[in-house]
């Protein structure tokens, strides 16, 4: 997180300025169908063996009255996805083998490659949300100067960052054991994510 974003977030937490309450955040959600993408194991990035990357295009309205990052944080938190952060997306391929992740674009645009070298590059813009099952490779290819993402995680799982072939064998065993979240980070207990990520 940049120094400016850190200061801004601290000021918002103290004053509540430009931060929506839970009801306001929920009111900013638009119904969207899920765009689902499945990726195979490329030898470096395992990806998830059963569950797809889920992308909601333009799912969150970001009016000027509110800090857009605070809207995403409040929405994710209301649905049980916490440990939020504000930043960009790393410009190298990485994945998490022990936890799922949501990425909400608060500002700007970017091209992000998901799934590793045999994956797919998607153009993301403010208001879009991507939900990555454990194992999903992601890497920023390019971004606007003002690009800002809010990331968060479901309550079960442990953060890790995998980047090399040495991580692969252990990750393949760990990824399928990461539990299915109880709620969709955008749409809650009835969200499309829960249908896309079916229990085994």
């Amino acid at each position: 997180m940049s120094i400016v974003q850190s200061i801004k977030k601290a000021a918002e937490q103290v004053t509540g300025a430009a931060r929506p309450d839970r009801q306001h955040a929920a009111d900013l959600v638009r119904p969207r169908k899920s765009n689902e993408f499945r990726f195979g194991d490329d030898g470096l990035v395992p990806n998830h063996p059963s569950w797809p990357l889920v992308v909601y295009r333009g799912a969150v309205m970001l009016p000027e009255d509110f800090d857009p990052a605070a809207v995403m944080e409040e929405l994710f938190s209301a649905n049980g996805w916490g440990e939020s952060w504000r930043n960009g997306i790393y410009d190298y391929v990485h994945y998490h083998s022990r936890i799922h992740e949501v990425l909400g674009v608060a500002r700007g645009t970017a091209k992000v490659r998901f799934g590793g070298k045999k994956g797919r590059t998607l153009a993301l813009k403010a208001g879009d949300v991507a939900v990555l099952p454990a194992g999903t490779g992601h890497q920023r290819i390019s971004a606007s100067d003002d690009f800002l993402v809010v990331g968060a995680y479901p309550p079960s799982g442990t953060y890790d960052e995998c980047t090399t072939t040495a991580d692969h064998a252990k990750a393949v065993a760990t990824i399928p054991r990461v539990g299915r979240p109880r709620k969709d980070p955008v749409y809650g207990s009835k969200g499309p994510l829960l249908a896309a990520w079916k229990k085994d």
Side-chain angles (χ1 to χ4, degrees):
M1 185 184 310
S2 72
I3 294 171
V4 172
Q5 285 298 322
S6 298
I7 293 168
K8 191 172 181 182
K9 184 173 182 180
E12 284 164 8
Q13 287 174 336
V14 171
T15 65
R19 184 170 200 89
D21 60 25
R22 288 200 169 182
Q23 187 56 55
H24 277 117
D27 290 345
L28 296 172
V29 173
R30 296 184 224 181
R32 291 290 187 258
K33 72 172 197 169
S34 62
N35 296 283
E36 299 174 12
F37 304 90
R38 297 178 187 275
F39 309 110
D41 186 333
D42 69 8
L44 171 65
V45 177
N47 292 298
H48 199 282
S50 306
W51 297 340
L53 164 71
V54 171
V55 177
Y56 300 122
R57 298 285 189 185
V60 185
M61 293 182 286
L62 300 170
E64 290 185 9
D65 318 14
F66 296 121
D67 171 11
V71 171
M72 294 290 187
E73 289 165 349
E74 193 60 41
L75 179 62
F76 298 159
S77 175
N79 289 311
W81 291 60
E83 301 295 321
S84 67
W85 50 264
R86 301 179 181 196
N87 208 328
I89 295 173
Y90 295 139
D91 63 358
Y92 54 86
V93 179
H94 65 289
Y95 63 92
H96 312 296
S97 71
R98 297 189 291 163
I99 200 161
H100 310 305
E101 183 174 42
V102 61
L103 302 172
V105 182
R107 201 169 49 237
T109 60
K111 289 185 177 177
V112 180
R113 185 168 65 189
F114 293 99
K117 64 186 174 187
K118 294 182 180 176
R120 185 161 174 180
T121 299
L122 301 178
L124 299 179
K125 66 181 187 319
D128 291 348
V129 177
V131 193
L132 292 64
T136 304
H138 46 299
Q139 171 187 16
R140 173 180 47 81
I141 303 300
S142 64
S144 60
D145 290 342
D146 62 343
F147 182 61
L148 178 64
V149 165
V150 171
Y153 309 94
S156 60
T158 304
Y159 180 86
D160 67 342
E161 185 179 308
C162 303
T163 59
T164 70
T165 52
D167 299 318
H168 186 271
K170 187 174 179 183
V172 167
T174 305
I175 289 165
R177 296 201 301 260
V178 180
R180 178 176 176 255
R182 294 179 62 192
K183 291 186 176 181
D184 183 309
V186 178
Y187 298 103
S189 57
K190 299 192 187 309
L193 181 78
L194 303 183
W197 293 6
K198 294 186 175 82
K199 289 184 179 177
D200 293 335

